[in-house]
Amino acid sequence: MTSADISLAAPTLHDGAAMWRIAVDVGLDRNSPYKYLLFCRDFAATSVVARAGGNLVGFVTGYRRPAEPGTLFV
């Protein structure tokens, strides 16, 4: 796989379960799958998913503080 095979996009609600599975599989975090749905719904503008061959292969989530819009927690 090369970087040309990977596409980046904002996450959708459909991506939440795959994001959770990736996080658990690599030992990143064991939060509720619901957390990933929240990122897909409420923080899609500051998050990104990576797809290869139609499959979700990675993601970055971001949270912008409402009181400090210049601050982004990744």
Side-chain angles (χ1 to χ4, degrees):
M1 179 179 347
T2 68
S3 60
D5 300 325
I6 298 172
S7 64
L8 302 176
T12 66
L13 282 176
H14 179 73
D15 296 319
M19 290 168 66
W20 176 76
R21 280 191 299 275
I22 289 171
V24 169
D25 287 350
V26 299
L28 283 177
D29 129 27
R30 303 212 182 257
N31 284 306
S32 163
Y34 184 70
K35 170 192 164 193
Y36 296 93
L37 291 175
L38 288 175
F39 271 106
C40 292
R41 187 190 70 193
D42 297 345
F43 305 108
T46 53
S47 299
V48 65
V49 294
R51 290 188 181 83
N55 296 313
L56 195 114
V57 295
F59 64 90
V60 175
T61 57
Y63 167 74
R64 186 177 312 270
R65 292 189 64 199
E68 296 180 43
T71 300
L72 179 66
F73 176 75
V74 176

